[in-house]
Amino acid sequence: MNPLILPVKALKKIAEAHGYTATLIALVEKVNDAQKLVIAQKITNRFGEDLTGKTFGVWGLAYKPETNDMREAPAIYVIQNLVQKGAKIKVYDPKAMTEAREHYLKGIENITYCNSKYEVLENSNALLLLTEWKEFRSPDFEQIKAQLVTPIIFDGRNQYIAYDLEDKGIEYIRIGK
């Protein structure tokens, strides 16, 4: 990491350590934290507050692709929020499965760790794309539609905008809209 580009939380701690109240940085941190739950809120808007009996398939746990780093990853917050509302979660990530199981999602019930992206879909009510891994870029949308209980994709990365999913019979809910 470039030492001149520090995460917001680090900047806030540095400011506090020097006795400075970094109001703008605190506001940025608050916005960043709220942003992590936007997909969870969209799911609640679509399915209701009580998610008992619902299963959601998650593609991507890591903070960003090509790493197993889950520190501050939106997936942690989304999964915790949905489980608290009664949902079951099925997850797949190319590199972060062990990190999730042993650290970041440890002890959270109702999570199933799957061996492939398509296994996640089986009997899930919707697919949540939370990390933009290369292997998720061009999926088989017909297979997604066939395997999901309700063909809905919640795209937390706006990765599928160009695919005209509504024309393929898939409800498409994305960030920023």
Side-chain angles (χ1 to χ4, degrees):
M1 178 190 306
N2 182 339
L4 299 177
I5 302 173
L6 296 174
V8 173
K9 287 189 183 302
L11 289 172
K12 185 178 173 197
K13 285 183 181 184
I14 291 168
E16 289 169 353
H18 289 87
Y20 179 74
T21 301
T23 306
L24 182 59
I25 292 172
L27 290 171
V28 169
E29 181 181 40
K30 185 175 179 178
V31 168
N32 286 350
D33 288 344
Q35 201 56 32
K36 292 174 188 167
L37 288 172
V38 168
I39 284 291
Q41 185 59 53
K42 287 179 179 285
I43 292 165
T44 301
N45 291 346
R46 174 61 176 78
F47 288 97
E49 285 290 329
D50 182 3
L51 299 175
T52 304
K54 302 287 185 215
T55 301
F56 298 97
V58 174
W59 284 1
L61 297 169
Y63 180 75
K64 61 183 182 177
E66 309 307 323
T67 181
N68 68 347
D69 187 357
M70 285 189 62
R71 290 173 293 171
E72 299 299 317
I76 299 167
Y77 303 95
V78 170
I79 290 168
Q80 288 173 341
N81 184 276
L82 298 178
V83 168
Q84 286 172 355
K85 293 176 180 177
K88 292 181 181 177
I89 307 293
K90 296 171 77 175
V91 300
Y92 172 74
D93 185 284
K95 290 189 180 179
M97 299 286 277
T98 301
E99 284 292 305
R101 188 181 291 121
E102 294 178 3
H103 301 289
Y104 295 97
L105 300 176
K106 184 177 182 177
I108 299 176
E109 293 186 22
N110 293 326
I111 298 176
T112 301
Y113 294 89
C114 298
N115 295 315
S116 75
K117 64 185 178 187
Y118 292 115
E119 182 184 342
V120 162
L121 304 174
E122 296 169 12
N123 299 311
S124 290
N125 293 92
L127 170 63
L128 286 55
L129 175 70
L130 299 180
T131 310
E132 66 276 21
W133 286 92
K134 287 179 186 174
E135 80 172 84
F136 303 152
R137 284 190 189 154
S138 300
D140 182 340
F141 290 111
E142 287 304 315
Q143 186 171 353
I144 291 172
K145 183 179 172 183
Q147 285 188 260
L148 290 173
V149 173
T150 48
I152 302 172
I153 296 175
F154 290 88
D155 184 352
R157 311 310 296 171
N158 288 338
Q159 187 163 292
Y160 301 139
I161 291 174
Y163 285 97
D164 297 319
L165 294 180
E166 301 282 342
D167 291 343
K168 295 176 181 2
I170 299 172
E171 187 175 342
Y172 181 60
I173 300 169
R174 63 183 178 90
I175 285 290
K177 185 173 179 187

